[in-house]
Amino acid sequence: MLDKVSVEIKEVYRLHHKLIKMGIGFSMILLLVLGVNQVIFAQEVLEFELEIELQDREKYDIEFEVKGEQFEAFYKVPGSSPLYGDEAKAMIDPLFEELQLNPDMNKRDLQEQILSIFNIDPDQVREFELEIEFSDGSKIEID
């Protein structure tokens, strides 16, 4: 009986080490594919507030905030009804994915990228405000 248990323990130990090696290998692949900054230093967005007012007074208002295990989200762009909660998050997630937000982003490039995503002519922008807070406490602010 003890021999059988000993064999099973050795098998579990062997599988455990195999999984660890696979995890290290997978991590190396992620590093190679995505780059060090995207894997190791990726920061979660805890708060995102974007307000754009155009010359014709149309407004874009997008807000997202993580509160513990919960979140609050609001999404309003010209020509659509305001969205809240999960519906708003469904619109915000692809925006975050496309922007690939990180604390070291160039503010001018980020602003241009946002305007491009929403197909906004920079000459039509009356006001542009963006505040992003990341999980490491760093922030991006554009006024």
Side-chain angles (χ1 to χ4, degrees):
M1 179 74 162
L2 285 176
D3 287 338
K4 185 176 180 181
V5 171
S6 177
V7 168
E8 288 177 10
I9 290 173
K10 287 179 184 177
E11 182 65 18
V12 168
Y13 181 77
R14 186 183 66 76
L15 288 173
H16 175 74
H17 279 279
K18 189 174 184 178
L19 288 173
I20 290 173
K21 288 179 185 178
M22 287 174 56
I24 291 171
F26 182 69
S27 296
M28 293 303 292
I29 290 169
L30 281 175
L31 286 172
L32 292 172
V33 171
L34 299 176
V36 173
N37 289 337
Q38 296 298 323
V39 176
I40 295 176
F41 301 109
Q43 296 296 322
E44 180 183 3
V45 174
L46 296 181
E47 192 170 336
F48 180 94
E49 291 183 39
L50 173 65
E51 293 180 21
I52 304 171
E53 184 177 341
L54 305 180
Q55 297 295 346
D56 64 4
R57 303 280 186 200
E58 285 191 318
K59 292 184 181 181
Y60 292 74
D61 188 3
I62 300 171
E63 300 176 20
F64 177 80
E65 184 176 359
V66 175
K67 293 184 173 187
E69 298 296 317
Q70 304 288 321
F71 70 89
E72 291 181 3
F74 175 73
Y75 185 90
K76 174 69 174 107
V77 298
S80 72
S81 298
L83 301 174
Y84 300 89
D86 289 332
E87 290 179 331
K89 189 172 184 305
M91 299 299 289
I92 295 169
D93 284 344
L95 176 65
F96 284 4
E97 192 171 310
E98 189 167 346
L99 292 173
Q100 295 194 4
L101 299 167
N102 70 71
D104 299 320
M105 296 184 83
N106 178 286
K107 291 179 181 183
R108 178 176 290 192
D109 291 345
L110 178 57
Q111 182 173 354
E112 289 174 1
Q113 191 177 4
I114 289 170
L115 294 176
S116 175
I117 288 169
F118 288 106
N119 213 13
I120 299 172
D121 179 351
D123 294 332
Q124 295 303 310
V125 176
R126 180 178 192 160
E127 188 176 323
F128 184 101
E129 293 183 19
L130 176 66
E131 293 182 26
I132 306 170
E133 184 177 337
F134 296 90
S135 57
D136 69 349
S138 59
K139 295 181 181 183
I140 295 176
E141 294 184 22
I142 303 173
D143 297 349

